[in-house]
Amino acid sequence: MSNKVLIISNTNELARVKPERVVYVESDGNYSTMVLHDKTQLVFTMNLAHCQQMMEEQLGREAMTFIRIGKQLIINRTYIFKINVNKQQLVMSNTEVNQAFTLQASKEALKQLKALIESETGKEEKL
């Protein structure tokens, strides 16, 4: 990724985060929690739609690194390690940092994510 930085700001706080450090963003109504690769959590008053819009505006094309799955999650595709549709689990991990994050998502959302990753893999092999 480039030198771009996400700037998340509200009334009382401002945080600057490199997008490649973001593993996922999870929403609970009007609150969103951004989880970084070192398990740091940043909580801010913003729903997921607003968070997604902010990422697209600040990152431009690099926002494509992030995928919204379901109503409550935005994930960084570079951290996808394992998708288990039957168990409704998504394991996010990075070989550089010895951390794993197990997330819950609906079967339908995981099926769509799996199909997307498979279709992208097919394109890469053809290049």
Side-chain angles (χ1 to χ4, degrees):
M1 287 197 173
S2 72
N3 295 331
K4 290 192 177 184
V5 175
L6 274 170
I7 297 174
I8 304 148
S9 179
N10 64 23
T11 318
N12 301 315
E13 288 185 303
L14 181 137
R16 296 178 72 236
V17 180
K18 289 187 176 187
E20 60 269 20
R21 295 186 63 209
V22 179
V23 179
Y24 66 95
V25 181
E26 190 170 33
S27 174
D28 184 16
N30 289 329
Y31 292 90
S32 294
T33 303
M34 181 176 285
V35 180
L36 307 182
H37 67 80
D38 61 0
K39 295 198 174 184
T40 300
Q41 294 187 5
L42 303 171
V43 179
F44 42 94
T45 52
M46 184 183 306
N47 65 29
L48 207 58
H50 188 247
C51 182
Q52 184 176 15
Q53 180 184 357
M54 176 202 64
M55 292 170 112
E56 290 169 357
E57 289 171 0
Q58 291 185 26
L59 299 177
R61 287 186 50 84
E62 290 181 31
M64 292 171 56
T65 302
F66 296 93
I67 304 170
R68 180 159 180 180
I69 60 169
K71 295 178 181 179
Q72 296 179 314
L73 281 173
I74 295 175
I75 61 168
N76 184 333
R77 69 174 64 222
T78 60
Y79 286 90
I80 297 171
F81 176 68
K82 181 178 170 185
I83 299 169
N84 188 321
V85 176
N86 287 337
K87 290 184 179 179
Q88 295 180 273
Q89 285 185 340
L90 173 62
V91 179
M92 306 291 285
S93 185
N94 181 338
T95 54
E96 296 169 20
V97 181
N98 207 8
Q99 304 280 5
F101 304 85
T102 302
L103 308 175
Q104 300 295 316
S106 72
K107 284 186 179 183
E108 189 55 39
L110 291 175
K111 280 181 189 176
Q112 291 174 6
L113 178 62
K114 184 176 178 285
L116 175 69
I117 300 300
E118 288 172 341
S119 70
E120 289 174 349
T121 303
K123 290 176 189 170
E124 289 171 5
E125 290 173 358
K126 292 175 186 171
L127 292 178

